[in-house]
Amino acid sequence: VSTQIFFIRGINAFYCKQLYQRRVWEAVVSTQSTGYSVLVGKAATADDWNTVMACFFAILIGMCLTLLILAVVKRALPALPISIFVGIVFFVGTRFCIKPLCDRLAIGQVYI
């Protein structure tokens, strides 16, 4: 009887741990997707596909940088700040440097 109780407690502990991990993961994903969607949504209001795509790829680059730093440091890191920082840098750079350059090149009919 005691082995059956221990087995049942072990299953319940395993199930509770899995449920807790799933809830934590869902909270992290919902927080990250909110920040990312705000950044890409703001880029979409610029009426420029270059800005939208730059922000999209910047978020992916930020995630890769987070994983790289995680492998080097070997401790928990927040995923959102690095990606958002890289995304904001790309947003500002594309919106205020690349877009005017592309507009001037288009007006002068210069194609690269």
Side-chain angles (χ1 to χ4, degrees):
V1 175
S2 62
T3 58
Q4 290 176 345
I5 293 173
F6 178 73
F7 182 69
I8 291 172
R9 284 184 184 169
I11 290 175
N12 287 338
F14 177 75
Y15 177 73
C16 289
K17 183 179 178 183
Q18 294 289 18
L19 184 63
Y20 174 75
Q21 288 175 347
R22 184 180 311 141
R23 287 184 181 168
V24 168
W25 176 253
E26 288 172 358
V28 167
V29 168
S30 68
T31 302
Q32 290 178 357
S33 64
T34 302
Y36 300 145
S37 63
V38 168
L39 178 63
V40 174
K42 180 64 179 170
T45 62
D47 293 329
D48 182 29
W49 277 102
N50 292 334
T51 308
V52 175
M53 295 311 292
C55 288
F56 177 75
F57 287 118
I59 289 170
L60 295 178
I61 291 168
M63 287 183 183
C64 291
L65 284 174
T66 302
L67 291 174
L68 183 68
I69 294 170
L70 180 66
V72 172
V73 176
K74 294 183 182 175
R75 62 180 192 156
L77 293 172
L80 190 62
I82 297 171
S83 296
I84 294 297
F85 176 74
V86 174
I88 289 172
V89 168
F90 274 56
F91 174 79
V92 171
T94 306
R95 176 78 188 255
F96 297 111
C97 295
I98 303 298
K99 185 176 180 342
L101 176 68
C102 290
D103 290 343
R104 285 189 182 183
L105 291 175
I107 289 172
Q109 295 183 351
V110 177
Y111 299 101
I112 298 176

